[in-house]
């Protein structure tokens, strides 16, 4: 349905140098899928989306929508945005303030090429359909300036789908909503997309949104895609510490590989504090390689320790720094090895008081072992972005 | 091979498509703006009556630089500009402080009176002042004689009264510029100073004034530029007193028996240096005041200083100053109701008549002038806003070397004083005969060039306020560029266009110095016709004419502020730009 090959887009910066927003991006989206571009802010997601929409003129590469080339630098093809027949929801919603709700939704139908244009009656039917689908039927005659944030969002969606586009582009559509509404709209968007069977490209920096909605996720960083896969793979098989860090609130613990092993094998690791643990390797590793053990919050076994009590052999000792009640479970921030780990325990487990000591068993074999190819600055950056180290 | 050819060609086509519009606009603006500037510079280095028969020479500059009267008029320009801006800013600051920071009664009246005087052309205000203060028949002198006898007179034709009258015409604009800064300065700081035991005077000088210093500096430089360029008051008051400033010097070199374009052009270059210096300082000051501007915006409850028993003298001052601004209007209205001018008195009421109005309205010079002024005002408003809205959009949305060149050319006329531009345009189309000399088109052209920078400020503010995604959403929805323009941009930009157009319209009706050389037997414009009446002593006719113009301006102001819900007069840009130009 959509195919992007070696897309590159640079902007002229302030001085002589150019900013590379998208350096080399390729991906393919099957019809009917919801494909998500996920990554930290500034990684080039919006720019990629705008290139697809035709709002940016890429430097090089090729974009094919539904079998037709819309951009190809080798042949010079560049189809303008208004001929690409796509629907788009903007981050700012871009509701036209001088039109009513109905006029906003009807606009795309009134500006298509004359030979495709419907008569007034057909337009009204489509507009009503789109408004009903978004639960906005009652607001049709309102001035579009008299809408709440959530209603504006629905209006923007109705406008994007009214022309029955084959491709729907959404740029952080939920980022301007409050938390509760965001949760609800997430499901509405998914429902809408499956009901219409439209192919959608969804841009977000929120991993929760991406995991909940997507058929396929591409994780971007500094203008390139670092990993692509379905949500399950991305969550369970992160290919790098960056992805592991970004995708879940995983803990990263550094250490060295004890015995060489191949992809998928269980590998023993000695961690910074001398404690041993094991996990499955995500790549071939040799003895002595620096590695990162990815430990999920829910796979650490915790036992409270009495004052002055020592941790059992092979376990870490830590101090509870904070306790976050989440309803069914409780997250503990535990300081150990000079960093903080996030650990999830059932809400009905023993009370962990702040500043009490706990023993941590991270040898559960459910962790992942990645090669530690970080540069220092990089890992700091990842941690800063996620607020893990200092949370 | 063929692929790269095709690619190159399509890149070229795309580049042309993207920039073709900007290129056309650049050419259009260049054709409007550049010839007058070039011809003015050539003129200043050319001898002879026409450029065709002249040759290159330093004679013009040598001539004016060796003439001791040049230095006298330079000195007088400086005294006049510095003096009137100092007086205007001092009065405006005092007034703004009383109105905005103290509990002086009568604040509404102050605003109302000042806004009314805002619609009155500078030249008309000057005429009114002369009727009020003038020798022999002036109201003030007559009253003086009536009470004290004798024949000592108030010395009206002096530098002092020139400065005073100019300051009074500047007062409304300066007040409207300073008052918002006064209002926004955090009173908490003043209170803190007062708590720490500082006296009132100390608080004002150590806290309040430093707080609004950037706004004061901006007002000072702006009024300096306006005064250094102004023609109306120097022509009305200075000429009889034999005080000449640069603008009247240029005027007399063109409008005397022997037209000397060469030395007038050389004077113009000197005047532009004055303007450029003022503008550089003005821009520095406004840049600084915008930086201060970001600090405030904090919510607070405005508290007013209690003046106690000083409230009543303060109120008298607060209302007296703006009343003084309106006094000249009353004098003119009085004159317009008489056949032959006489000082206002009970006896005078017996002679009240509307015959002057009917005489004026039956004079084809006057009716043509009024009609032409209206047509020109509409024409210049439409042309200026059309060009500048497109230029502003290109500049904001499609920033490139090309659009920056457009920006430069559009802003260039700001450094050309109106009277200089009038001269330059006249000279240009005398030299290059394209058939517009002596027609309405040459006047329109000068007006459009002059108001381009002002339109641009409105245009840019309007485009910046529009989120680019509003246009992009329409594009993605399937609208071509022209449809986006028609269905999205134009409706959303309309209030801006209307406000900018209202400004250009009003300013055109007030305009004298720009059109004084261009209006003539071929094509009469209202203000120069009135100026001539005054010069030839037809005071009552000039008065009736002035009342009609003021009525027209007020009606336009009312209509526009209704249409734009106050945008045109509420916009600080408009106020600072209205400037008696
Ligand atoms: N119009 C532009 N001009 C200059 N730089 C831009 C422009 N648009 C985006 N960029 C830069 O390109 C990079 C990627 O931006 P963007 O695609 O908006 O990131 P994201 O949507 O992932 O947050 C950023 O560094 C941004 O500053
Ligand atoms: Mg973005």
């Amino acid at each position: 349905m959509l195919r992007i090959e070696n897309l590159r887009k640079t902007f002229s910066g302030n001085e002589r140098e150019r900013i590379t927003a998208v350096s080399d991006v390729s991906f393919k989206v099957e019809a009917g899928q919801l494909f998500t571009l996920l990554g930290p802010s500034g990684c080039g997601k919006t720019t990629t989306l705008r290139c697809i929409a035709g709002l940016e003129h890429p430097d090089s590469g090729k974009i094919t929508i539904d079998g037709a080339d819309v951009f190809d630098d080798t042949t010079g093809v560049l189809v303008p945005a208004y001929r690409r027949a796509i629907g788009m929801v903007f981050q700012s919603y871009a509701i036209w303030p001088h039109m009513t709700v109905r006029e906003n939704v009807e606009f795309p139908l009134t500006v298509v090429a004359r030979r495709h244009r419907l008569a007034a009656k057909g337009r009204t039917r489509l507009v009503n359909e789109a408004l009903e689908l978004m639960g906005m039927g009652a607001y049709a005659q309102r001035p579009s300036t008299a809408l709440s944030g959530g209603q504006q969002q629905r209006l923007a969606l109705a406008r994007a789908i009214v022309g029955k586009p084959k491709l729907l582009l959404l740029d952080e559509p939920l980022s301007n909503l409050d938390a509760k509404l965001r949760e609800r709209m997430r499901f509405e968007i998914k429902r809408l997309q499956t009901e219409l069977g439209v192919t959608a490209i969804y841009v977000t920096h929120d991993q929760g949104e991406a995991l909940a909605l997507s058929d396929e996720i591409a994780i971007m960083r500094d203008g390139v895609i670092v990993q692509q896969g379905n949500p399950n793979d991305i969550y369970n098989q992160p290919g790098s510490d960056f992805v592991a860090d970004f995708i879940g609130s995983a803990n990263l613990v550094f250490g060295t590989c004890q015995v060489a092993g191949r992809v998928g094998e269980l590998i023993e690791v000695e961690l910074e504090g001398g404690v041993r643990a094991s996990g499955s390797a995500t790549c071939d590793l040799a003895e002595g390689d620096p590695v990162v053990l990815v430990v999920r919050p829910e796979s650490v076994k915790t036992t409270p320790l009495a004052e002055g009590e020592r941790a059992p052999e092979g376990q870490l000792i830590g101090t509870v720094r904070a306790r976050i009640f989440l309803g069914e479970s409780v997250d503990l921030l535990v300081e150990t090895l000079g960093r903080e780990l996030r650990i999830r325990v059932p809400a009905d487990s023993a009370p962990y008081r702040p500043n009490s000591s706990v023993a941590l068993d991270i040898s559960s074999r459910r962790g992942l072992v990645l090669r530690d190819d970080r540069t220092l600055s990089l890992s700091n950056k990842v941690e800063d972005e996620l607020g893990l180290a200092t949370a | 091979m063929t692929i790269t050819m095709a690619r190159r060609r399509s890149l070229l086509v795309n580049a042309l498509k993207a920039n073709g519009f900007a290129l056309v606009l650049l050419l259009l603006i260049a054709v409007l703006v550049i010839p007058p500037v070039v011809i003015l510079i050539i003129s200043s280095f050319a001898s002879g009556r026409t450029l065709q028969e002249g040759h290159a020479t330093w004679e013009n500059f040598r001539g004016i630089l060796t003439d001791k009267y040049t230095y006298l008029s330079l000195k007088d320009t400086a005294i006049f500009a510095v003096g009137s801006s100092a007086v205007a800013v001092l009065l405006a600051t005092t007034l703004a402080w009383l109105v905005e920071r103290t509990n002086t009664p009568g604040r509404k009246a102050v605003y109302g009176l000042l806004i009314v005087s805002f619609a009155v052309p500078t030249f008309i205000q000057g005429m009114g002042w002369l009727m009020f203060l003038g020798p022999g028949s002036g109201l003030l002198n007559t009253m003086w004689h009536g009470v004290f006898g004798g024949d000592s007179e108030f010395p009206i034709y002096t530098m002092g009264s020139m400065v005073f009258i100019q300051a009074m015409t500047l007062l409304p604009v300066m007040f409207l510029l300073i008052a918002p800064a006064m209002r926004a300065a955090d009173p908490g700081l003043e209170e803190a100073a007062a708590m720490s035991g500082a006296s009132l005077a100390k608080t004002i000088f150590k806290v309040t004034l430093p707080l609004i210093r950037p706004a004061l500096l901006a007002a000072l430089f702006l009024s300096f530029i306006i005064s250094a360029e102004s023609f109306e008051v120097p022509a009305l008051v200075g000429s009889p007193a034999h005080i000449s400033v640069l603008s009247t010097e240029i005027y007399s070199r063109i409008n005397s028996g022997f037209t000397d374009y060469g030395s007038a052009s050389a004077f113009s270059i000197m005047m532009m240096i004055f303007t450029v210096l003022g503008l550089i300082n003005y821009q520095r000051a406004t840049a600084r005041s915008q930086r201060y501007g970001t600090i405030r915006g904090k919510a607070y409850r405005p508290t007013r200083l209690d003046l106690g028993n000083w409230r009543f003298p303060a109120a008298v001052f607060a209302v007296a100053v703006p009343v003084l601004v309106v006094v000249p209007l009353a004098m003119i209205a009085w004159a317009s109701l008489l056949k032959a001018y006489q000082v206002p008195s009970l006896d005078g009421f017996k002679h009240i008549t509307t015959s002057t109005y009917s005489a004026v309205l039956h004079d084809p010079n006057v009716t043509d002038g009024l009609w032409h002024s209206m047509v020109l005002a509409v024409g210049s408003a439409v042309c200026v806003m059309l060009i500048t809205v497109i230029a502003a959009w290109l500049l904001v949305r499609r920033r490139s070397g090309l659009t920056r060149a457009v920006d430069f050319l559009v802003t260039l006329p700001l450094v050309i004083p109106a009277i200089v531009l009038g001269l330059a345009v006249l000279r240009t189309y005398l030299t290059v005969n394209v058939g517009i000399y002596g027609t309405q088109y040459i006047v329109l052209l000068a007006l459009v060039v002059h108001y381009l920078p002002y339109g641009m400020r409105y245009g840019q503010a309007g485009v910046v306020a529009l989120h680019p995604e509003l246009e992009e959403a329409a594009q993605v929805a399937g609208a071509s560029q022209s449809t986006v323009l028609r269905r999205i941009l134009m409706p959303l930009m309309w209030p801006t266009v209307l406000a900018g157009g209202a400004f250009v319209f009003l300013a055109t009706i007030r305009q004298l110095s720009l059109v004084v050389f261009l209006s003539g037997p071929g094509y009469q414009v209202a203000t120069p016709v009135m100026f001539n009446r005054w010069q030839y002593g037809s005071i009552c006719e000039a008065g009736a004419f002035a009342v009609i113009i003021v009525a027209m301006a007020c009606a336009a102001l009312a209509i526009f502020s209704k249409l734009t819900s106050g945008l045109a007069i509420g916009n600080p840009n408009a106020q600072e730009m209205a400037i008696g130009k």
Side-chain angles (χ1 to χ4, degrees), chain B residues 126-466:
Chain B
M127 277 168 35
W129 276 108
L130 285 183
M131 291 182 197
F132 186 51
L133 302 174
S137 54
L139 177 61
L140 205 65
N141 281 328
T142 315
M143 278 165 33
W144 183 272
H145 295 159
V147 178
F148 299 103
D151 54 4
S152 60
E153 295 217 315
F154 185 82
I156 178 73
Y157 291 122
T158 59
M159 175 59 91
S161 28
M162 238 169 102
V163 164
F164 171 75
I165 295 177
Q166 178 73 10
M168 293 313 282
T169 65
L170 285 172
L171 184 66
V173 180
M174 293 307 132
F175 173 80
L176 293 173
L177 212 62
I178 295 170
M182 231 7 144
R183 193 179 323 148
D186 190 345
L189 298 173
E190 280 176 7
E191 282 162 17
M195 297 283 227
S196 62
S199 69
L200 178 59
K202 253 211 176 113
T203 309
I204 293 173
F205 284 102
K206 287 262 150 76
V207 181
T208 315
L209 287 182
L211 267 180
I212 60 157
R213 209 175 77 121
L216 284 184
L217 275 180
L220 211 52
F221 286 118
L222 188 68
S223 46
F224 174 83
I225 301 170
I226 298 170
S227 297
E229 295 184 13
S230 80
F231 169 71
E232 288 87 348
V233 174
L236 283 169
V237 187
S239 298
H242 302 292
I243 298 170
S244 79
V245 296
L246 290 174
S247 62
T248 47
E249 196 65 45
I250 293 170
Y251 179 76
S252 66
R253 266 156 217 264
I254 300 294
N255 269 33
S256 61
F258 178 68
T259 308
D260 185 355
Y261 283 112
S263 64
S265 304
F267 262 111
S268 301
I269 302 283
M270 280 178 30
M271 198 165 168
M272 278 167 69
I273 294 171
F274 254 86
T275 322
V276 171
L277 287 180
L279 265 178
I280 291 172
N281 282 306
Y282 171 67
Q283 249 152 17
R284 276 206 201 127
T286 45
R288 215 171 311 149
S289 75
Q290 267 148 19
R291 211 163 53 226
Y292 272 60
T294 55
I295 306 174
R296 33 185 208 237
K298 199 175 64 181
Y300 60 82
R301 250 209 344 245
T303 45
R304 293 176 179 281
L305 193 68
D306 188 354
L307 289 184
N309 284 335
W310 283 99
R311 259 178 342 134
F312 301 101
V316 170
F317 175 81
V319 177
V321 172
V323 163
L324 274 183
V325 174
V326 184
V327 157
L329 261 189
M331 293 302 297
I332 286 178
W334 170 255
S336 72
L337 291 168
L338 298 173
K339 234 181 170 137
Y341 185 71
Q342 64 180 99
V343 176
S345 61
L346 285 179
D347 174 57
F349 275 99
K350 288 190 215 128
H351 301 282
I352 279 186
T353 164
T354 55
S355 66
T356 311
Y357 281 96
S358 55
V360 162
L361 287 173
H362 281 98
D363 180 339
N365 271 336
V366 173
T367 46
D368 281 359
L370 282 173
W371 172 242
H372 293 162
S373 281
M374 278 308 249
V375 172
L376 283 172
V378 172
S380 60
V382 170
C383 293
V384 165
M385 289 323 289
L386 201 66
I387 295 175
T388 54
V389 163
I390 296 172
W393 186 85
L394 283 171
L395 185 67
V396 176
R397 294 280 196 262
R398 300 269 184 278
R399 226 179 154 75
S400 71
L402 211 57
T403 57
R404 269 191 285 271
V406 170
D407 190 30
F408 172 77
L409 281 183
V410 165
T411 322
L412 185 62
L414 214 52
V415 303
I416 314 174
I419 193 153
V420 173
L421 182 63
L423 169 67
V425 168
L426 176 76
R427 184 74 162 149
T428 303
Y429 296 96
L430 264 175
T431 309
V432 191
N433 189 1
V434 290
I436 64 170
Y437 177 73
T439 70
Q440 62 270 48
Y441 298 109
I442 194 170
V443 194
L444 182 65
L445 189 143
L447 287 165
V448 169
V449 171
H450 184 66
Y451 290 116
L452 277 179
Y454 304 99
M456 192 68 177
R457 284 187 72 167
Y458 279 94
Q460 258 180 309
V463 178
V464 167
L466 286 189

Side-chain angles (χ1 to χ4, degrees), chain A residues 162-212:
Chain A
V162 70
K164 304 213 184 298
K166 291 218 173 75
L167 186 62
L168 181 63
L169 309 177
L170 303 117
D171 188 1
E172 313 233 1
L174 306 181
S175 62
N176 287 333
L177 300 178
D178 56 61
K180 214 167 141 192
L181 206 55
R182 204 178 307 161
E183 194 83 4
R184 215 173 71 216
M185 285 307 294
R186 206 189 261 186
F187 291 105
E188 292 235 7
I189 288 178
K190 185 68 191 169
R191 173 185 64 85
L192 185 74
Q193 187 258 336
T194 33
E195 228 166 82
L196 297 173
V198 63
T199 313
I201 315 291
Y202 190 97
V203 160
T204 181
H205 65 262
D206 181 326
Q207 73 281 6
E209 238 166 78
L211 291 171

